[in-house]
Amino acid sequence: MTQKVALVTGGTGFVGSNLCRRLVRDDWKVHLIATPNDSSALLDDIRDQLQIHVHDGSADNMSSIMAITKPDVVFHLASLFLSEHAANDIDRLIVSNVLFGTQLLDAMAAHGITRFVNTGTSWQHYGNEAYSPVNLYAATNQAFEDILLYYVEAKGVQAITLKLFDTYGPNDPRPKLFHLLEKLAYEGTSLAMSPGKQIIDLAHVSDVVAAFEVAAHRLVQTHVVGHEGYAISSDTPMSLQAVVETFERVLGRKLAIEWGGKPYRAREVMTPWDKGQRLPGWKPAVPLEAGIADLLTAKEKYESKN
C-alpha cells in the first residue's frame, strides 16, 4: 500500500502536534508548514520523522511548498486565537486566519490537490445560531469558510470542516482551564473565577485528532461532494463548576477557587452550540475523569524529571 502524504498547518501547536504524532504512528508521511517564529518544541519526540517547511508569507512560497509535498490530504489547523482583541491585533487575525488559508487553498487548486480538512470553532454559533460570532476570532473563521466555498465550487476542492469546542490533554502549554487548575494544585495559589454556571464542552485531544484522521479517510475513501461540516463534541457538556469539581475529585482535594470573584466575559458562551452533526465513523472515547487522570499523571512524570 502506498504511504499517504499529509500536509499539516498549525502542527507546532497543541492539537496540531498531537495530530502529527498520530499520523506518524499510523504511517503517514507528514509535512508541516510553519512560520519563521514557530517553535517545534512540542514535536521534539517525532522531529526526525517530519519534514518542516517554513512559509515566508508569500503566495509563491506556498505554491512551492505544495509542489514539493504533493499531499494526499491537507490538514489546516493554523490559526491565531484571541478571546478578545485590541486594534493592533486585527492585522494579525486577518493574516493568520484568512490570508494564510486562502494562499493555501489557491496553491492546492494550482497543483490539483483537492482533499482538505479544515478547522472551525463552535464559537461561530453564539446563542446556538446558524451563524453568530462570539468574537473577531470566530468571525475570521467564518470569513475563511466563506472563501473555502469558492474553492469548493469553482476549483473542485473537497472539504470537511471540523468545528471544535474546548480541547485539553497532557502537556498542553496553553493558558486554559486545566493549566490554571494544575497551577493551583501544585503551587497552592488561589484563583478568582466567574460564577461558573456556563456550560462547557471539553474534548480530549486524542479524540479530537482521531476525528481529523477519520475525516481524512472519509475524503480519501468517499467522494465527498462539496463541503461537509461536523461538530467535534465530547457529548458530555457540563457547567464550569462541575468540571472543576470533577478535577478536584480526581486530584483528591479541594482547590482555592473564589467563585464569582470576577464577572463573566462579554458575550460569554453560557450554552454551547448543539446543532452540529456528528462526523460519520467517529465518536468520543475518553471520559472526562479519565482524561483528567491522564493529564495529572503526565504532569507528575514531568515534575519528577525536572
Side-chain angles (χ1 to χ4, degrees), residues 82 84-94 136:
L82 296 172
E84 296 178 316
H85 77 277
N88 60 3
D89 295 321
I90 294 172
D91 287 0
R92 292 194 302 139
L93 281 164
I94 299 298
L136 188 57

Side-chain angles (χ1 to χ4, degrees), residues 88-109:
N88 60 3
D89 295 321
I90 294 172
D91 287 0
R92 292 194 302 139
L93 281 164
I94 299 298
V95 169
S96 297
N97 300 349
V98 181
L99 176 61
F100 177 85
T102 305
Q103 290 177 337
L104 183 69
L105 287 169
D106 211 67
M108 288 176 60

